[in-house]
Amino acid sequence: MVWKYKDFLCIEGLTKEEIELIIETAISMKEILNRTIKKVPTLRGRTICTLFYEPSTRTRSSFELAAKYLSADTISISVSVSSVQKGESLLDTVKTLEAMGIDALIVRHNSSGVPYFLAKNLTCSVINAGDGMHEHPTQALLDVFTVFEKKKRLDNLKIAIIGDVMHSRVARSNIYAWKILGSEVKICGPSTLIPPGIEDLGVEINYDIDKVLEDADIIYILRLQLERQKKGLFPSLREYHFLFGITPERLKKAKPDVLVMHPGPMNRGVEISSEVADSIYSVINEQVRNGVVVRMALLYLLLGGGRIDETSYS
Ligand code: NCD
């Protein structure tokens, strides 16, 4: 099976086989990341540009490292020092970059739908690195890959997504992914942070956090997205931590082989206590490492074509 799309915009609408293809490709990429010399010639001569209209540490550097490990050239446009500040339109900015010969544009934007608009207007590949409150598809891929490494399967798992689902593109991409793969998703959080109609995506809402934790194979904790919130959605950070924060006491009720995940950046002491973040249940650092791996897989599938030539990697 080969990847057949120019772009990678969302998890919604992918097939199980397409997700599995990315995960299988990522397995061979992990082997490259574990080498002392992490460089293969697969994307030599290709150029990848990151364009981020929102802050990012891990997603941006993860894409850039993934591209570099595959020998692609990378450029990174910081909106705060680009001509966007002089009033240039989004389309003019990206058309300018495309005219210079980039092969893929990785975009993060605070408005939902921007990657779709760009994909329609550009001949190069467009990858969504997070669009508003809509989707963050590569985050879901790295989460799925991390679970696969630990649990050796992707179906019939119970995933509990806890916290600020309302503002979370990560939650939406994860919900789509886990439903496509045949696992069960429960969401839990303050009712003011659970978006109306989310049940239509096939998830169960349960406000009893202890019950949700007890059943879960995976506890997926979301950051409280204070920058996206209007005031008044819950009384205080202390109260949030008291009611929904994942603490060692709460974790005692969970299964012994439960995995604790968080997309980062974490607010320690708010949605997750430091003890839990650094506990043996936590796979948060593995998620970060696997972010590079799935992004290598995706860049390879989108730009590399053909099959991986075993001999060129040794
Ligand atoms: C997420 C994002 O930006 O959507 N972070 C990330 O990319 N790992 C989640 C968040 O900001 O809480």
Side-chain angles (χ1 to χ4, degrees):
M1 191 181 165
V2 289
W3 187 257
K4 53 179 193 267
Y5 310 108
K6 171 176 87 73
D7 310 296
F8 185 72
L9 303 175
C10 53
I11 299 289
E12 184 185 10
L14 289 182
T15 63
K16 188 164 172 276
E17 291 69 31
E18 283 161 351
I19 297 180
E20 283 168 356
L21 172 67
I22 302 168
I23 299 303
E24 276 160 27
T25 311
I27 293 169
S28 46
M29 297 300 170
K30 182 96 187 211
E31 192 268 311
I32 298 169
L33 190 63
N34 288 339
R35 296 181 192 174
T36 316
I37 297 170
K38 299 179 258 301
K39 196 117 180 144
V40 293
T42 316
L43 295 186
R44 196 167 47 196
R46 315 303 299 273
T47 304
I48 290 159
C49 175
T50 58
L51 177 65
F52 276 51
Y53 283 78
E54 271 188 13
S56 165
T57 312
R58 69 210 78 221
T59 306
R60 184 180 197 138
S61 41
S62 175
F63 268 114
E64 284 176 21
L65 286 174
K68 287 178 199 296
Y69 294 155
L70 295 174
S71 300
D73 293 308
T74 57
I75 54 166
S76 149
I77 309 294
S78 284
V79 168
S80 57
V81 290
S82 73
S83 290
V84 171
Q85 298 306 323
K86 299 182 186 169
E88 186 174 59
S89 79
L90 174 65
L91 195 55
D92 284 337
T93 303
V94 296
K95 287 273 186 198
T96 303
L97 295 168
E98 190 172 53
M100 293 182 198
I102 62 167
D103 298 294
L105 179 74
I106 295 155
V107 65
R108 169 172 285 191
H109 202 284
N110 50 5
S111 298
S112 303
V114 160
Y116 295 78
F117 169 74
L118 298 183
K120 271 200 203 106
N121 284 284
L122 296 174
T123 50
C124 73
S125 292
V126 175
I127 299 178
N128 181 1
D131 63 327
M133 295 192 279
H134 173 235
E135 278 218 41
H136 188 352
T138 57
Q139 177 69 44
L141 291 179
L142 74 90
D143 297 329
V144 165
F145 182 81
T146 304
V147 171
F148 183 68
E149 274 195 329
K150 299 284 169 191
K151 299 278 183 195
K152 308 289 176 233
R153 65 174 211 273
L154 292 170
D155 59 352
N156 294 311
L157 292 165
K158 291 184 171 37
I159 322 287
I161 300 182
I162 317 283
D164 184 358
V165 179
M166 170 92 89
H167 300 96
S168 179
R169 51 196 176 205
V170 171
R172 245 165 292 275
S173 286
N174 261 275
I175 292 170
Y176 286 125
W178 290 115
K179 295 306 294 178
I180 293 166
L181 293 164
S183 280
E184 198 183 287
V185 182
K186 282 191 190 150
I187 61 171
C188 178
S191 56
T192 46
L193 294 178
I194 304 293
I198 192 87
E199 305 92 315
D200 299 348
L201 301 185
V203 301
E204 187 190 315
I205 302 173
N206 190 331
Y207 295 106
D208 181 349
I209 182 138
D210 294 320
K211 187 85 201 82
V212 171
L213 296 186
E214 226 172 84
D215 285 349
D217 296 303
I218 315 293
I219 300 174
Y220 198 97
I221 306 168
L222 298 172
R223 182 173 68 87
L224 207 48
Q225 305 224 353
L226 294 169
E227 78 280 15
R228 292 189 204 277
Q229 289 182 13
K230 296 183 190 74
K231 284 206 165 69
L233 291 176
F234 54 88
S236 70
L237 293 182
R238 228 173 118 232
E239 179 145 340
Y240 182 86
H241 183 68
F242 178 69
L243 292 173
F244 293 100
I246 307 300
T247 56
E249 298 71 53
R250 284 222 154 97
L251 214 53
K252 275 191 197 129
K253 302 183 190 85
K255 292 185 182 172
D257 60 347
V258 73
L259 299 182
V260 172
M261 304 180 76
H262 191 301
M266 288 184 269
N267 293 314
R268 286 175 183 255
V270 182
E271 71 267 1
I272 184 168
S273 74
S274 264
E275 296 92 314
V276 172
D278 303 327
S279 71
I280 50 161
Y281 304 104
S282 163
V283 290
I284 296 169
N285 279 332
E286 271 121 308
Q287 285 174 270
V288 175
R289 187 166 179 83
N290 289 336
V292 179
V293 169
V294 294
R295 289 174 178 120
M296 286 169 79
L298 202 61
L299 291 173
Y300 166 73
L301 289 170
L302 259 61
L303 302 181
R307 285 172 49 81
I308 298 182
D309 176 2
E310 293 285 335
T311 53
S312 64
Y313 289 114
S314 51

